[in-house]
Amino acid sequence: MPYIRHESLFSLQDLFSMEQKFRFEAIFSAIDIQPLLSVVSKKSRLGAPVEVHYSAMIYSLIARLISRIPTIKDLIKRLREDLLFRLDCGFMLSDSIPSEASYSRLIQKISQSNALEQMQQQVITYALQEGFILDDTIAIDATHVVARDQAPKKQAKEKPEPKKRGRKSKEEHKIWLAQKQAEEATKTIYQREIADQLTTSYEQLSQQLPLDPQWGIKKNSEQNNVFWYGYKAHLAVATSSQYILGALLSSGNLNDGKAAIPLLKGLALHHPCFKYRYATMDAGYDHEPIYEQVRKAEAHAIIAYNRRREPEYIGFDEHFAPTCVREQSYRYDSYDAKYETLKYIRPKACEECPLKNDSLCQKVYKIKITSSLRKYTAPARGTVSWDHIAKRRTAVERVNAYLKGYFQLNHIRHRSGQKAKAHLTLVSLVYNATKLAVDRINKRLKHQAA
């Protein structure tokens, strides 16, 4: 399939190449900082006056990510030495530059509120209302993020006592069952099966998400294990416009599939007007409850199948299409949305088969996708359409690379998971605001050209 390069009138690189004043103005105008000001500002007129300029401090944190300034210390140095940068962030010549302690207290207040999430949702609402997000496919994936915290020392594990051989007595079995029930009752929603998330609200899922840094493991492109101490950033991205529709931060040891349902529920809660047809993910998300959650959104899950030591299915090929007596695979023909049925027709190789008029050779097969949501989806597995939609998943991988390479996602300068979560939300907010600024400039230039 040939690759078609889509030309754009205005790109992200063009925005970064603009004069600093206009670049900041375009991005700042896409962000409403009022929710943050209501959190950090003084609540009463009584008491000592506030000497720091909170709005300018917030804009300077955004400008730090845009200008790729690595630390708060370097940001303060830039504010002191660069007069134009200082004015672009909103500081007046009479304002004193805040100290590192002032920025630390500001970030602490931000991390204890959900103001950044509200601002992120508002940017996506602007993009939806202005017609910049017209995607029919979303992609979900996770990427590793190294923590600032120091990894704990490895502790020697005590050898467990050898299990008693033989069958348990009735009293021992009752005690064992009681212990199992007590353990299940103390487990959080993320320590249980993924199916339990279907009946749990988004608020509970977001509150119980583990945020403490942990050791994580994954396989790289060479199928070698890679270890890191920190977190995982889970993103839901619109594949065409490449806006971040949802972002979650979790411990590094959380299974990728356990963050898919919270992302899907958050998208349905915060942006109910956005409708998508397909949700594409890799084989790590191949779990039945995820298919059910996507189906609740009246969409189809395009997820790579993960064979978990499953036997070979007789009468079906590797893509679960039915086969004839001579093991020729039937061809996918169409999908009936009313009855949720996939239609397979006789393969071309059967036209000259002597058994084509035999009762064993069936002309048409119809299979309901509800018989097995993992195996059957629309379009059917193994088809060109399915592969074309599955390839759109690379959009979320590109966004992960953008966030790490240009927006400092992989350079968390704060300790504790709560501040790391605020860092991810701020990074995704600045990325979406940059995308919105680019789209607005493109739209304005097209009107001028017309």
Side-chain angles (χ1 to χ4, degrees):
M1 180 178 175
Y3 174 74
I4 302 174
R5 184 178 183 274
H6 295 277
E7 296 184 0
S8 62
L9 190 62
F10 194 81
S11 65
L12 281 174
Q13 189 59 43
D14 296 331
L15 181 69
F16 284 116
S17 302
M18 289 176 62
E19 187 178 342
Q20 177 177 290
K21 176 181 179 181
F22 299 106
R23 180 173 73 244
F24 289 161
E25 182 182 354
I27 298 175
F28 290 165
S29 63
I31 302 176
D32 180 13
I33 65 169
Q34 193 58 42
L36 272 185
L37 290 177
S38 63
V39 171
V40 301
S41 298
K42 189 179 176 183
K43 302 297 186 295
S44 174
R45 295 181 180 179
L46 304 177
V50 178
E51 298 181 356
V52 294
H53 194 336
Y54 279 124
S55 61
M57 289 179 69
I58 294 170
Y59 282 129
S60 66
L61 288 177
I62 298 172
R64 169 181 165 251
L65 296 179
I66 301 170
S67 302
R68 304 171 196 172
I69 300 174
T71 62
I72 298 295
K73 184 177 180 180
D74 293 329
L75 173 63
I76 295 173
K77 183 180 179 181
R78 177 76 178 272
L79 289 170
R80 287 174 178 168
E81 296 177 353
D82 193 339
L83 180 61
L84 292 177
F85 181 80
R86 178 176 175 176
L87 294 174
D88 290 338
C89 291
F91 288 101
M92 305 299 293
L93 294 177
S94 58
D95 293 333
S96 60
I97 302 301
S99 63
E100 290 186 60
S102 299
Y103 274 103
S104 178
R105 288 191 291 269
L106 174 66
I107 294 171
Q108 180 69 22
K109 290 180 180 179
I110 292 174
S111 64
Q112 293 174 350
S113 69
N114 62 345
L116 283 176
E117 286 83 354
Q118 296 176 16
M119 295 162 63
Q120 168 80 313
Q121 294 160 19
Q122 188 62 45
V123 171
I124 296 297
T125 302
Y126 290 153
L128 287 169
Q129 291 174 350
E130 297 175 29
F132 297 132
I133 302 179
L134 301 173
D135 306 65
D136 66 344
T137 307
I138 63 170
I140 295 177
D141 199 7
T143 184
H144 70 283
V145 180
V146 180
R148 180 74 171 172
D149 305 65
Q150 186 177 3
K153 294 182 179 180
K154 187 177 180 180
Q155 298 180 353
K157 294 182 180 180
E158 297 181 359
K159 291 185 178 180
E161 297 182 0
K163 293 183 179 180
K164 183 180 177 181
R165 298 182 65 182
R167 189 176 179 181
K168 292 183 176 67
S169 63
K170 290 185 177 180
E171 292 184 359
E172 290 176 340
H173 187 67
K174 288 181 180 179
I175 295 173
W176 178 80
L177 285 177
Q179 291 176 349
K180 283 291 182 183
Q181 292 176 355
E183 290 177 2
E184 287 293 326
T186 56
K187 285 183 179 179
T188 63
I189 188 65
Y190 289 96
Q191 293 173 335
R192 302 174 191 168
E193 297 294 329
I194 298 180
D196 294 336
Q197 296 181 357
L198 292 172
T199 56
T200 308
S201 65
Y202 173 75
E203 288 75 13
Q204 292 177 322
L205 290 173
S206 58
Q207 289 173 3
Q208 297 185 27
L209 191 68
L211 291 176
D212 54 315
Q214 296 289 343
W215 280 104
I217 180 174
K218 70 172 185 178
K219 288 189 180 293
N220 58 14
S221 58
E222 299 176 355
Q223 298 302 312
N224 296 324
N225 289 333
V226 178
F227 300 88
W228 78 96
Y229 183 74
Y231 313 97
K232 276 185 181 179
H234 307 269
L235 301 181
V237 174
T239 56
S240 179
S241 60
Q242 295 188 12
Y243 279 89
I244 299 175
L245 302 175
L248 293 175
L249 188 79
S250 71
S251 301
N253 60 353
L254 185 73
N255 183 276
D256 291 357
K258 292 189 176 181
I261 293 179
L263 284 172
L264 294 170
K265 286 192 172 185
L267 179 59
L269 177 65
H270 299 140
H271 306 289
C273 60
F274 175 71
K275 301 297 180 182
Y276 56 93
R277 293 183 61 191
Y278 307 105
T280 177
M281 310 166 211
D282 60 23
Y285 297 86
D286 183 32
H287 300 278
E288 189 83 17
I290 298 177
Y291 290 88
E292 295 179 13
Q293 184 63 39
V294 174
R295 188 166 176 268
K296 287 181 180 179
E298 299 180 354
H300 301 282
I302 308 298
I303 304 175
Y305 196 81
N306 186 9
R307 292 185 179 273
R308 301 181 180 91
R309 299 181 181 179
E310 298 173 7
E312 204 175 308
Y313 294 96
I314 301 174
F316 298 89
D317 64 4
E318 59 180 345
H319 300 298
F320 310 107
T323 57
C324 66
V325 179
R326 289 189 168 185
E327 296 186 354
Q328 295 290 339
S329 299
Y330 277 67
R331 290 183 297 150
Y332 169 70
D333 181 71
S334 60
Y335 172 69
D336 189 343
K338 181 179 179 180
Y339 298 101
E340 298 183 322
T341 303
L342 300 175
K343 180 182 177 182
Y344 291 89
I345 60 175
R346 180 183 288 172
K348 290 183 178 180
C350 293
E351 293 178 358
E352 299 178 358
C353 178
L355 299 176
K356 67 177 182 179
N357 295 323
D358 193 87
S359 59
L360 296 176
C361 188
Q362 191 170 328
K363 288 184 179 181
V364 176
Y365 270 97
K366 291 186 178 181
I367 302 175
K368 276 188 169 292
I369 62 172
T370 52
S371 61
S372 179
L373 293 176
R374 283 184 63 210
K375 298 176 187 175
Y376 300 107
T377 184
R381 293 182 181 274
T383 60
V384 176
S385 300
W386 192 95
D387 293 337
H388 179 70
I389 298 171
K391 287 179 181 178
R392 298 177 189 171
R393 192 186 61 83
T394 56
V396 67
E397 296 177 351
R398 287 193 294 273
V399 172
N400 286 332
Y402 294 155
L403 296 185
K404 289 185 175 182
Y406 301 103
F407 295 91
Q408 304 187 49
L409 173 61
N410 210 23
H411 295 84
I412 296 179
R413 312 300 298 183
H414 318 290
R415 290 185 171 89
S416 82
Q418 200 65 34
K419 289 186 178 180
K421 176 186 174 182
H423 177 78
L424 170 65
T425 310
L426 181 61
V427 165
S428 58
L429 169 65
V430 174
Y431 170 83
N432 280 338
T434 305
K435 290 285 297 179
L436 183 58
V438 169
D439 289 338
R440 284 175 173 174
I441 294 174
N442 272 333
K443 186 176 181 180
R444 185 170 66 248
L445 291 177
K446 286 180 181 178
H447 283 305
Q448 291 176 0

